[in-house]
Amino acid sequence: MCKEQIYSFHLCYYQCKSCDYSLHKFCAELPEIQNNHPLHPGHNLTLSERFQVVNFSREVDEWMCHVCKFKWESFFNYYCSTCNISMDIICATISHQKINHPSHPDHQLERMFGSIVSVCVACGEKHDGHFFQCTTCPMHRIHMDCALLPTKLLIQRRTERFTHSHPLNLAYSFPFPEKKARFNPFCRVCDGDLHEHLWIYKCDKCRYYVHIDCANSKRDAFMSILQKTSLGKTFKNYKDDEHPNLLHCPFSDEGDNLLKHLFFNQKDVIVKHDGEILNHPSHQHPLNLFHTQTSLADEVVSLHDPMKKIQLLCDGCVKPITTVPFYKCSQYVQQCSFILHEWCTKLPSEVKDYVGHPEHKLVFLPKVPRKLLGVFFCPICVLYSNGFAYGCTMCEYYVCINCAFIPEEIAHEAHPGHLLSKINPSAKLIDRYCKACTYSMDRVPGYHCPSCNIYIHAACALLLPRVIRHKYDKHHPLSLRYEPAENHISEYFCDICEDEFDPFKWFYHCSTCDQSMHTACAPLILQCEQATYSNNKDSIFKFLNVKFGRTVEIKGHSHRLAAFVQGIERHDDEAFRDASMDGNSAGSAKAELVKVHSALIFVTTKHQSIWNFIGVSNCMDIICATISQQKINHPSHPDHQLERMFGRIVSACDACGEKHDEHFFQCIICPRYRIHVDCALLPAKLLIQHRNNETFTHSHPLTLAYSFPFTEKRARFHPLCRVCDDTFNEHLWIYKCDNCRYYVHVHCATSKRDAFMSILLPSSELSRSSSFSALVCLGKTFKNYKDDEHPNLLHCPFSDEGDNLLKHLLFNQKDAIVKHDGEMLNHSSHQHPLILFDTQTSLANEVVSLHDPMKKIQLLCDGCVKPITTVPFHKCSQFNQHCDFIVHEWCAKLPPEVKDYAGHPEHKLVFLPKVPRKLLGVFFCPICELHSNGFTYGCTICGYFVCINCAFIPEEITHEAHPGHLLSKSNPSAKLSKRYCMACKYSMNTIPGFHCPSCDIYIHAKCALLLPRVIRHKYDKHHPLSLRYEPAENHISEYFCDICEDEFDPFKWFYHCSTCDQSMHTACAPLILQCEQATYSDDKESIFEFLNVKFGRRVEIKGHSHRLAAFVQGIERQDGSYILLITLLLLQHALSVPDSYGERDEDAFTLLTLFLIRIAGLILHAKSWFGPSIICYVESKDRKAEGSNTSNNKIRAGRQGEDIILVLETTCLCEMTRLSEMLLWMEPLQEVQKQSSLRCCVCNCNWKEFFNYHCAICNLNIDIICATKSEHKMVHPSHPHQLERMFGRIISMCVACGEKHDGHFFHCTSCPSYWIHVECALLPAKLLIQHRTNDIFTHSHPLTLAYSFSFCEQRARFYPHCRVCDGIFYEHLWIYKCDKCLYYAHVYCAISKRDAFVSILQKTSFGKTFKNYKDDEHPNVLHCPFSDEGDNLLKHLFFNQKDVIVKHDGKILIHPSHQHPLNHFDTQTSLASEVVSLHDPMKKIQLLCDGCVKPITTVPFYKCSQSNQHCDFILHEWCAKLPPEIQDYAGHPNHKLVFLPKVPRKLLGVLIECPICFLPSNGFAYGCTMCEYYVCINCAFIPEEITHEAHPGHLLSKINPYSDKLREKYCKACFNFMFKWPGYHCPSCDIYIHAMCALLLPRVIRHKYDKHHPLSLRYEPAENHISEYFCDICEDEFDPFKWFYHCSTCDQSMHAACAPLILQCEQTTCPNRIPVFIYLNVKFGRTVEIKGHSHRLAAFVQGIERHGNCIECGDTLQYEMIFKCLECEFTFHYDCAESYVDSEAGAS
């Protein structure tokens, strides 16, 4: 009505469901007559299409609004018949057009009348247009374009010239503090300033900022004065052939420089032979040539290599020598190290007309005269130099040789494509700044781009190479960056000097390692000898052109020589006060009490006596002179100022806790607060490896913290210092990592000492041991043993689970004889012969699956009970009779006895295949403290048995956790009660271990020998898990075990996958069959309790209805109770009780087994039993002796010490089957008669097989829950008040899960309606859903328990459904959610065992969903989605049919759809006669079939033979084989549908809407011309049944779209209604999918916006993506619970409807979000002839925003099918084409 676009701020509007007709809300509600309008009072205004014509010359009527004077074409207005004036609807409704804008949240903005000229407060520009104005703040005006800016955009989509990989966010200001913290960044498009009150676009992941108008402009950067902006690309402003010798900067690396390009590349350079002699005026000795052909055999010359800290500099240009040829002094034997580049020997003798000194010529000078060591200051690069120079001795003007040949023009990578011209320094350039260092151009020469007004210093352009290698990033080169790096929003710290720097200045960076450094710091490869200059203004290292290392003789000093070096920090205060300098050239200078850091100094070779390079007169002690001014405000003591104390004192420092004899700062108010000067000046951030010479390394900067609170220490499991392994004092300072759990003392972080080595030499020897000092300064720990002295030393940990101690001891012995494959062995451990499976065996006779955790296959040796992962091994020959006995080859070679065993020296230990008098041979090993049922060594006399792994513990080992040091065996002793294992942190006083005497470190033997380095586990199928000895890097949060889901201490050893961030206890790692095993709950165990037990054997049960019982480990069942089938501990005690309790009855063990099953179940059911052992045994009584036929069964219970004694007296073993015969144990022993049942007198509940309290006097029973009810109170994080357990079982609704339960509840005493079911109250705070649901539902991250799901959060997340049951969430109920992904589940769904969707089809115990159909019953079922865009339904139906006849290449086909013959292009064709580019989105090539309008990505296909005459008709091979008609089509059963190459009576054959997919199409069709019913060929063959990857394993059946049952059913893909839309249905799960969603969306697409990876169709949100989802095509946010395309590698996402758009300039998505692209079946590009227009042809295209409005109807052309004149802006709708195009016209 008003012809204005409907914007987002309009909130709601009206739209026709049948068409695209839309109205603003205020337009639709306009009154027909307005009385007394404020803009035209006194008359009535009538809404009509009548108007006052103001221009009769135009064909289209035009009228003018009386208010805004704007001229309009024909449409609705308010008209006054009295005054004959018109008012447009915008002016008439101006009072209704108000918006609430987030940039001005306090007040509403109102649209102003008409078009005005004003300044916009958003962009700061003056506009002539429509504005919004604040009704309260009249100065606040926003231009309409700015008010409608998107909150997120991709700049490349808006500008097509500037690119950035992340979306930019709209910010409504740029506060000055934020600007200052970001070093006052510039706009990355126009390089202009950013004003703090104006709006900007910025990136949340990088330091990328742009003006809002720059982010949306189409103009080309810098080039607007050179070309039309429509070209859209920057081109060079010079021609290469006009500048053949142009220098392209930066140079490639440090070995490349200006002189090499100028001289070495000249054609007149003559390369001499290797070894040729050169006499050069710069040196007194002859020089030898080292050529490229030399072998360097006579002398090995190490070239410059920063990785190896080797520095080799040319004496001429002082640049690194990285390649041959070069000249070296022939007197190198006499320690003459003079060396020159080959090109440095070819320098000209003089330079004339030098710009900086035109008065005289400059002469070549090997050494500047009258300068000590030839050191001079170059005025061009502003650097010191002691290399060759060019100079005028009369004027004493000298320049270094690099600056003597500065070229007039260069090109630079920082400003590509533009010529940079040389400029001389001038006062006019004081306001011009260098692009590299951002400092003024007024003093030194530089380069200038006149097109862009950009400047670069000559030194910055020529002295900074593109790439450098540095020892602090040994794996990658560092590249010169000209702007901040992507994905780096935090501060930038130099890894050399550790200072923060401005990333808008040039710097060196490694994007892989995220290492950065100043350009001035980059050359420092020998940090111990060099330091950076503290003045941050320099972009070049101050002494880049100075070659240090020379020596001079000192006069007047006790030592003869002094080295010429750069001053560093350690030279500052040592031996300063007595230093003096005496020399004729330097004059008589005395001691100088100033810092010499970063100055040129001389250092004596034996002492630290230091002289400044230039002496000064004597002066007062500066420290004493300024003591009153030396006050600081320190962040560690923020309330008061600290003042420097007079003189040196001895005091304890409150920062490090150490006592110092030094200078201190003291608080004026708190005199006890003193900080040592060194501690007060500690940096806020540092890299530890740079402080301690790489003895200790950590990849992240450490932050200084001024305390370590006890609560934080406790939450971090009381970490120790990672340097000295000592504890932390909570009030002392520490350095800690913000990304990892890395903590160190401040003195440890900055010390130079070598780890572990200070105790190896006495302190008295440290000072005089030069060898040790040399080792320490290298910064690496060395071994404290020699390899040749320990040839058989065992190196731990073992590589994997298949490697163990016995293999290393026995299998590697030289006397081990390897038998042939299949050879028989009779072993004493087994009754049957054993067959050898050798490494050469094919295992053809029997397929033996080796141990494989990935496949849940467990194959354990019966000897050592360790996995068998490789051959050779021995297996029982009777495997056909189900004898699965198997042993390693080395376990079959064990010696028969062990003598002088340390744990039992009295007797020798004999090899025993099975421990005697032990049920199933299970015994307890006292060495590893583990149960075992494998082979053993033991003494039967003493009953002492050890497992075979512990029988051969070596005397010495080494371990990766403590590298380089020898660990010696230590026996348990009471003296070790305060020594703790570094693996498990528990005492060493009970079991053997290993000890490092140098470092006083201990490791349990079992921790060192039983934990392999790497394991494979089914919970991380892609990567092995490595044994970690300390917390992982980049992991600051809690550590949860992925097996038991408990939090653990990461300072104990654990297994971890750094790629997947999976972690687990060392005790949980062996569990590969979770359904059969569970971890022991006691966290003290570092080894799995049953690691040496082989389960799975069976025993016969007597006196029980079933015959066999399996020997397994007890686990937790679904009902929450614990059923322990055979409890090893209880059986062990029961069969070894003292004789004082009676004779054991060996036949009674079967009854005892059943008895103990129930006892164990009870004890473990309480979930709090970690108390004393239970000793059980049986006293069997003779019934005849009792003289009665009735049974007399009694149980006596009581305590003996810490043990619980249970005595069973029975005359009938079969009757003791119920645990109701027992009461809770009492003291002293009492006899209790058997009772039939127990009823609690409190809650009146009947209990069976459960402990209770009994009153013998009253004969009453009280269950344990009621008896302890007063103690059952808890504080739950879901509720602010205390919760109390209620009496008995009740039926009530749980406020946590919302379900009604009949059970026990907790309730709040203050809030009577707050009731939580017991199971909900005890839900874990974190869980892995696959562990709770038996892997039916899986998610890689732990889920966190949330106690509500607010409506606002649900709305922001697009109202997610439960990922288990697909149900909705209620905001007040608890849920489990993932903190890293959009994954949500109900609490009961997250822990349920039921199977998804298929519970009606199978038993839930199977735990996996299976197919609800059989393949042989559906041989032709279609499996969706199709693989890619080139695959479709027709290909599957016709091309795969057996009757398809493939023609030969080039064969002619006459097809009724086209007037010309078609050539066949086969798979064998070379396409030599014509090159046909197949469809390729990467290259923006679109090749669509004229039949199905789908991409042609492969041959065979047919193409028009008249392609030379520009006929581009093309068909798939299968589209040429379509049947001529279709009978009994479901959508039109009355008539048959006939094949139609073109729909009749439709312009260009365009079918406006297919009734099946509701998409327009201009391809082939099937139709009934009588009824005018037409369908596209894709919809003509919709199958009756399909399967789909989104709902795997289930058959989807075709549905009737007009069924009333579908009115409230939604499509799983797009969430739109199913009514009237054809689709598919799964009756088992009640899931629906539209036919077009299932058939038209391929699995994978390729797109130009992600050129490296395909994008996959996703059916749910991606993992590790918790933030919003934005389409990279249209930039709109979308719902990730609808199907979309996504690349997980690049994190690129897009709507399914946007994915086909490969030519964005010609296509755009429709705002009406349908699941597929609306013109997916339309082939654009054809042309038609236009009638009544000056130009002849118009193209058939899709309308986009720039096409404007239709010249016929005036409506917008965007999103519509239109015709566009090829030569002008003449455009009109397809629907409006009747007056311009003949409806029968064909396309050309």
Side-chain angles (χ1 to χ4, degrees), residues 1317-1350:
H1317 187 236
V1318 168
E1319 291 184 1
C1320 294
L1322 302 178
L1323 284 172
K1326 284 183 180 285
L1327 61 80
L1328 278 171
I1329 191 170
Q1330 52 266 40
H1331 299 174
R1332 295 284 177 158
T1333 61
N1334 288 346
D1335 281 346
I1336 298 170
F1337 298 93
T1338 60
H1339 188 65
S1340 61
H1341 305 133
L1343 303 184
T1344 305
L1345 183 62
Y1347 303 113
S1348 65
F1349 195 6
S1350 66

Side-chain angles (χ1 to χ4, degrees), residues 410-680:
I410 65 166
H412 202 282
E413 189 181 53
H415 192 60
H418 287 200
L419 208 63
L420 304 179
S421 304
K422 183 179 173 183
I423 57 169
N424 294 319
S426 167
K428 297 178 180 179
L429 299 177
I430 193 170
D431 292 330
R432 296 293 183 262
Y433 300 98
C434 173
K435 182 180 175 69
C437 60
T438 67
Y439 290 103
S440 177
M441 297 292 300
D442 63 329
R443 294 187 178 182
V444 293
Y447 290 97
H448 176 223
C449 175
S451 303
C452 314
N453 201 27
I454 281 180
Y455 295 83
I456 306 176
H457 287 138
C460 297
L462 300 174
L463 296 182
L464 296 177
R466 179 184 291 110
V467 171
I468 64 167
R469 301 284 299 179
H470 203 279
K471 69 185 180 76
Y472 287 139
D473 194 345
K474 298 179 179 178
H475 305 291
H476 315 102
L478 291 97
S479 302
L480 183 61
R481 283 201 65 91
Y482 314 113
E483 56 190 22
E486 285 196 359
N487 294 300
H488 192 127
I489 191 65
S490 59
E491 298 88 351
Y492 285 76
F493 285 91
C494 175
D495 286 327
I496 306 296
C497 64
E498 300 177 358
D499 289 337
E500 186 178 7
F501 63 85
D502 180 0
F504 294 95
K505 298 179 181 180
W506 293 3
F507 63 100
Y508 284 99
H509 182 77
C510 173
S511 56
T512 306
C513 306
D514 202 23
Q515 298 269 14
S516 303
M517 57 183 69
H518 287 114
T519 52
C521 295
L524 301 182
I525 65 169
L526 301 171
Q527 195 190 24
C528 60
E529 296 302 324
Q530 294 178 329
T532 51
Y533 186 46
S534 58
N535 187 356
N536 194 32
K537 292 184 178 181
D538 289 329
S539 63
I540 312 295
F541 177 44
K542 184 178 182 182
F543 303 127
L544 184 68
N545 291 339
V546 176
K547 185 172 181 178
F548 292 106
R550 298 170 184 173
T551 57
V552 294
E553 292 188 6
I554 312 173
K555 293 187 291 183
H557 185 64
S558 58
H559 305 116
R560 181 169 171 266
L561 297 178
F564 177 53
V565 298
Q566 179 195 343
I568 59 173
E569 188 175 6
R570 72 182 183 193
H571 296 147
D572 290 351
D573 298 316
E574 301 176 2
F576 238 111
R577 303 180 182 275
D578 298 327
S580 62
M581 183 175 70
D582 184 14
N584 295 329
S585 60
S588 177
K590 297 184 179 180
E592 178 189 15
L593 299 179
V594 294
K595 294 282 187 181
V596 297
H597 184 50
S598 296
L600 298 176
I601 64 170
F602 293 102
V603 183
T604 61
T605 56
K606 292 189 177 181
H607 289 297
Q608 296 298 319
S609 300
I610 302 173
W611 293 264
N612 196 11
F613 185 66
I614 302 174
V616 297
S617 61
N618 192 13
C619 59
M620 180 183 177
D621 188 319
I622 296 177
I623 298 173
C624 296
T626 61
I627 195 72
S628 61
Q629 302 173 12
Q630 297 190 33
K631 297 178 181 180
I632 61 173
N633 294 312
H634 202 275
S636 67
H637 197 67
D639 299 330
H640 308 134
Q641 230 179 17
L642 303 183
E643 184 178 55
R644 183 156 178 169
M645 302 179 69
F646 281 99
R648 300 166 67 96
I649 64 170
V650 179
S651 179
C653 173
D654 283 305
C656 63
E658 300 289 328
K659 186 175 286 188
H660 296 274
D661 179 7
E662 213 16 288
H663 297 276
F664 277 79
F665 282 97
Q666 180 179 6
C667 177
I668 306 171
I669 310 297
C670 319
R672 295 181 64 85
Y673 189 82
R674 295 176 178 176
I675 307 177
H676 181 233
V677 169
D678 289 346
C679 293

Side-chain angles (χ1 to χ4, degrees), residues 144 264 449 483 524 536 596 776 959 1010 1083 1236 1349 1543 1714:
M144 180 174 285
F264 187 65
C449 175
E483 56 190 22
L524 301 182
N536 194 32
V596 297
V776 172
H959 202 283
L1010 296 183
D1083 191 41
S1236 59
F1349 195 6
V1543 176
I1714 61 172

Side-chain angles (χ1 to χ4, degrees), residues 88-114:
D88 62 42
I89 294 177
I90 297 173
C91 294
T93 61
I94 200 74
S95 61
H96 300 285
Q97 298 191 38
K98 297 179 180 179
I99 64 173
N100 293 313
H101 202 275
S103 66
H104 198 65
D106 298 330
H107 308 134
Q108 242 183 3
L109 302 184
E110 185 179 56
R111 182 161 173 172
M112 301 181 70
F113 284 102

